[in-house]
């Protein structure tokens, strides 16, 4: 998607502070961190949101969770962490490119607001 900001970040057209990258996904630090560790994990291929996942395109989600787990371990989040996906307007999704927030380094409230 030519006008998608996360597609541009994935292609390196917009700079980001990378935490991990391979041929399928990119993990980069959120510009507006909500916790001491706040990383976004995205597929490089454009998927607008969790509401556009299918049996065919969802394999990358398992990969994202495995990388998130590895990053959490490497970043010392042994006390726990949260992985968040906001979907659609009511879910609070502001960027329509599937992404998972990896948040850690502080205690999280539940339920979220
Ligand atoms: P969401 O509200 O779930 O769609 O999350 C979008 C996230 O992207 C927010 O936490 C923003 O702070 C973050 N964000 C937006 N633009 C950038 C950017 N250029 N680099 C890093 N994070 C960004």
């Amino acid at each position: 998607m030519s006008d998608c900001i996360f597609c541009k970040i994935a292609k390196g057209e917009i700079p980001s502070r990378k935490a991990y990258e391979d041929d399928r996904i990119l993990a980069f630090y959120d510009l507006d961190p909500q916790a001491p560790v706040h990383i976004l994990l995205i597929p490089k291929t454009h998927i607008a949101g969790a509401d556009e996942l299918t049996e065919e395109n969802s394999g990358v989600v398992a990969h994202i969770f495995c990388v998130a787990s590895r990053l959490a371990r490497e970043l010392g989040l042994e006390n726990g962490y949260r992985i968040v996906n906001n979907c659609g307007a009511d879910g609070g999704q502001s960027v329509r490119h599937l992404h998972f927030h990896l948040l850690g380094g502080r205690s999280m409230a539940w339920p979220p607001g």
Side-chain angles (χ1 to χ4, degrees), residues 38-98:
H38 187 172
I39 291 172
L40 301 173
L41 297 105
I42 66 169
K44 288 190 169 177
T45 301
H46 186 82
I47 300 170
D51 51 347
E52 293 215 346
L53 286 168
T54 65
E55 294 294 342
E56 287 69 39
N57 70 9
S58 58
V60 71
V61 175
H63 183 49
I64 282 174
F65 271 71
C66 291
V67 169
S69 163
R70 198 185 321 151
L71 282 172
R73 210 163 27 247
E74 287 170 6
L75 293 168
L77 303 181
E78 58 277 323
N79 214 34
Y81 54 87
R82 183 169 289 174
I83 296 175
V84 172
N85 170 257
N86 298 322
C87 182
D90 280 0
Q93 184 179 11
S94 61
V95 178
R96 282 294 285 167
H97 181 123
L98 180 69

Side-chain angles (χ1 to χ4, degrees), residues 6 9 28-32 40 86 92-95 99 101:
F6 283 3
I9 288 174
F28 57 100
Y29 284 85
D30 198 293
L31 269 188
D32 182 21
L40 301 173
N86 298 322
Q93 184 179 11
S94 61
V95 178
H99 55 281
H101 300 253

